[in-house]
C-alpha cells in the first residue's frame, strides 16, 4: 500500500503565547514530514485549529473558528479538519459527539501526534491523558518559529500545581513539568544562531521552574545559563507568581544586562478576602511588599500584571481597594478580565456572585484609570533617550519604523514609532521620545 500523498495544511492558532509555541511545534512537524503550509484555508486539504479553553470568551472563539473551518471543508477541497489544544483536552467527548465534521482531535500535549494524523494513521480521538510524564517539547523537537525571527517565545515548563479557585489550567495542561536547563539553553543557542535577539520565557508558573526535576533547579540558575548565550540581548520573564519572586531574582533582573528590566506577575487582586476566596495563598501585604521591592530596584523594573474582577464575593469595598491600588500608579502595564464561571473549578460553586454587567463595569473603570496613568507616565518620558529594538515597518506607513523599548513585551505593551532613519528588524538603536499617548511612544533617532 502506497504512503498518503503530501498534504497542504492550513493552521489557525488561538490563545496565549504558550499555545503559540505548541502551534510552532506542529508547524515543525508539518515541515519535517514533507508537507506544505498554505496561507489560505481554501487552498488546503487539511485544516488545523489549535484551540484555547481557558475562559468562556476563549471557548466561544475556538468553537466559532472550528465551525468556520467546517464550512470551508464542506465547500472546498479540504478533506480533513483537525482540532487540537486545550478545548479538546477539556471536552473531548462532548466535541466529538456534537461536531461530526471534525475528523481528528488532539489534546494539549499531542503536538507530535499531528504526524500520525497527516499520515492518516491516527484514530479520530487522540487526546492523551495528562500527568507528570505527559509530553513536553525540548531543543530536539521540530519547531518552526512564526513571525519575526528576532523575537521568540521559549516555554520552560508546562502545567501548574497551584490550587487557584478560578483557574482550569491544571486540568487543561496537567501538573508542572519543567525542562532541563541544558535543553532550554540549547534551544536559545539555536534561536540566536537563526537571528533571535530577544527570548520571552513563558510557563504557567515561571518562578517555580525546576522544583519538580529529579535534580531540582531554580529560575535564577536557568537565567545564569541563558545569559551566557552569545548574541542574545533581551531575556524577558512572563508569568511569575507573587510569593515565589525571590530577592535574588529581582537583583538579577536589575543587574544583569541581558535580562530585560521587566517582570510579568499576575497579581489577580489586592483585597485579602478576595485573594483568600481565589485560593491564591497570599494577602494584600504580600502584594504591596512585592511592589515595594520592585520599585526599590535600580534601574527601574517595568511591571506587567493582570487583575480579575467580579470573582464571587468581591464586594464594592473590595473592588474599591483594588481601584485605589491601581490609582497609586505602581503598575506599568495592566490587563483586566471579568470572572468567568468555569465548570470544575471551586469558584464555580461559590455564592455571592457578581453580575456580568457589574463585573464589566469594574473592568472598564480600571482600564480607564490605567489609561490615564499611562498617558501621564508616557508624557513624562518625552525628551528621554532610550534604547529601542526595531520590529520592522510600521503598520501606519512604510515610511515609519516601529520597535519596542525594554519595558515593552511583543504584542501586548504598546510600541515605539520612529519617524526617521533606517534599521533592520532586530537592530538596536538609540531614540529620543518626541510624542506620547496612552499606548505608544513616538521618537526620532538620537544623533
Amino acid at each position: 500500500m502506497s504512503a498518503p500523498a503530501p498534504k497542504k495544511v492550513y493552521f489557525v492558532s488561538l490563545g496565549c503565547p504558550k499555545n503559540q509555541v505548541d502551534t510552532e511545534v506542529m508547524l515543525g512537524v508539518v515541515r519535517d514530514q514533507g508537507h506544505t503550509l498554505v496561507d489560505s484555508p481554501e487552498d488546503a486539504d487539511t485544516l488545523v485549529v489549535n484551540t484555547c479553553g481557558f475562559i468562556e470568551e476563549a471557548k466561544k472563539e475556538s468553537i466559532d473558528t472550528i465551525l468556520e473551518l467546517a464550512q470551508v471543508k464542506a465547500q472546498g477541497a479540504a478533506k480533513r479538519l483537525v482540532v487540537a489544544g486545550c478545548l479538546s483536552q477539556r471536552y473531548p467527548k462532548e466535541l466529538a459527539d456534537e461536531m461530526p465534521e471534525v475528523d481528528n482531535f488532539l489534546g494539549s500535549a499531542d503536538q507530535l501526534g499531528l504526524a500520525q494524523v497527516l499520515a492518516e494513521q491516527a484514530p479520530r480521538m487522540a487526546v492523551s491523558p495528562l500527568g507528570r510524564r505527559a509530553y513536553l517539547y525540548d531543543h530536539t523537537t521540530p519547531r518552526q518559529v512564526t513571525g519575526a525571527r528576532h523575537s521568540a517565545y521559549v516555554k520552560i515548563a508546562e502545567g501548574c500545581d497551584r490550587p487557584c479557585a478560578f483557574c482550569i489550567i491544571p486540568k487543561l495542561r496537567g501538573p508542572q513539568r519543567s525542562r532541563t536547563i541544558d535543553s532550554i539553553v540549547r534551544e536559545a543557542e539555536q534561536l540566536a544562531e537563526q537571528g533571535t535577539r530577544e527570548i520571552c520565557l513563558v510557563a504557567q508558573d515561571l518562578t517555580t521552574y525546576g522544583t519538580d526535576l529529579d535534580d531540582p533547579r531554580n529560575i535564577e540558575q536557568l537565567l545564569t545559563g541563558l545569559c551566557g548565550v552569545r548574541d542574545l540581548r533581551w531575556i524577558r520573564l512572563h508569568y511569575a507568581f507573587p510569593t515565589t519572586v525571590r530577592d535574588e531574582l529581582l537583583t538579577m533582573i536589575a543587574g544583569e544586562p541581558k535580562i530585560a528590566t521587566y517582570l510579568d506577575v499576575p497579581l489577580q487582586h489586592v483585597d485579602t478576602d478576595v485573594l483568600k476566596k481565589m485560593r491564591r495563598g497570599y494577602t494584600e501585604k504580600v502584594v504591596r511588599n512585592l511592589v515595594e521591592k520592585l520599585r526599590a530596584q535600580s534601574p527601574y523594573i517595568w511591571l506587567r500584571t493582570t487583575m480579575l474582577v467580579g470573582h464571587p464575593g468581591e464586594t464594592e469595598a473590595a473592588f474599591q481597594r483594588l481601584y485605589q491600588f491601581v490609582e497609586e500608579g505602581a503598575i506599568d502595564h495592566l490587563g483586566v478580565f471579568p470572572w468567568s464561571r468555569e465548570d470544575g473549578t471551586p469558584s464555580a460553586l461559590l455564592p455571592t456572585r457578581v453580575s456580568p454587567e457589574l463585573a464589566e463595569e469594574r473592568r472598564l473603570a480600571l482600564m480607564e484609570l490605567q489609561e490615564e496613568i499611562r498617558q501621564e507616565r508616557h508624557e513624562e518620558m518625552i525628551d528621554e533617550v532610550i534604547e529601542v529594538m526595531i520590529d520592522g515597518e510600521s503598520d501606519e506607513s512604510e515610511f515609519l519604523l516601529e520597535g519596542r523599548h525594554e519595558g515593552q513585551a511583543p504584542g501586548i505593551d504598546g510600541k515605539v514609532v520612529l519617524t526617521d532613519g533606517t534599521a533592520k528588524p532586530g537592530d538596536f538603536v538609540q531614540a529620543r521620545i518626541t510624542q506620547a499617548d496612552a499606548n505608544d511612544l513616538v521618537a526620532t533617532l538620537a544623533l
Side-chain angles (χ1 to χ4, degrees), residues 7-13 26-27 30 36-51 65-84 101-106 114 117-118:
K7 304 294 191 298
K8 292 184 289 184
V9 188
Y10 174 78
F11 267 88
V12 176
S13 184
M26 289 191 282
L27 294 175
V30 171
T36 303
L37 293 169
V38 295
D39 295 328
S40 169
E42 287 77 15
D43 295 334
D45 53 49
T46 304
L47 306 168
V48 183
V49 55
N50 192 18
T51 61
T65 303
I66 295 168
L67 295 176
E68 288 171 8
L69 291 180
Q71 288 185 336
V72 173
K73 176 190 170 187
Q75 298 169 3
K79 301 293 191 294
R80 189 171 298 275
L81 174 56
V82 184
V83 175
E101 57 267 64
V102 177
D103 298 282
N104 296 93
F105 291 94
L106 299 169
L114 184 62
V117 171
L118 295 173

Side-chain angles (χ1 to χ4, degrees), residues 99-125:
M99 294 184 166
E101 57 267 64
V102 177
D103 298 282
N104 296 93
F105 291 94
L106 299 169
S108 61
D110 296 315
Q111 292 81 35
L112 298 187
L114 184 62
Q116 284 68 50
V117 171
L118 295 173
E120 301 178 13
Q121 297 174 354
R124 182 177 186 234
M125 182 54 64

Side-chain angles (χ1 to χ4, degrees), residues 156 162 176 203-211 218-220 237-246 249 263:
I156 67 172
R162 299 281 179 187
Q176 178 165 297
Q204 275 81 26
D205 192 350
L206 189 92
T207 36
T208 55
Y209 161 78
T211 56
N218 60 39
I219 188 67
E220 293 86 5
L237 307 182
H238 289 275
Y239 319 127
F241 197 82
T243 57
T244 44
V245 177
R246 292 176 286 271
L249 178 60
L263 189 61

Side-chain angles (χ1 to χ4, degrees), residues 31 70 83 103 118 144 180 184-185 237 281 287 307-308 372 377 417:
R31 177 197 64 207
V83 175
D103 298 282
L118 295 173
Q144 182 167 319
T180 65
I184 298 166
V185 170
L237 307 182
V287 173
M307 297 296 184
L308 181 64
E372 294 174 5
R377 183 157 297 161
V417 178

Side-chain angles (χ1 to χ4, degrees), residues 68 166 396 420:
E68 288 171 8
F166 57 85
E396 300 173 21
D420 61 357

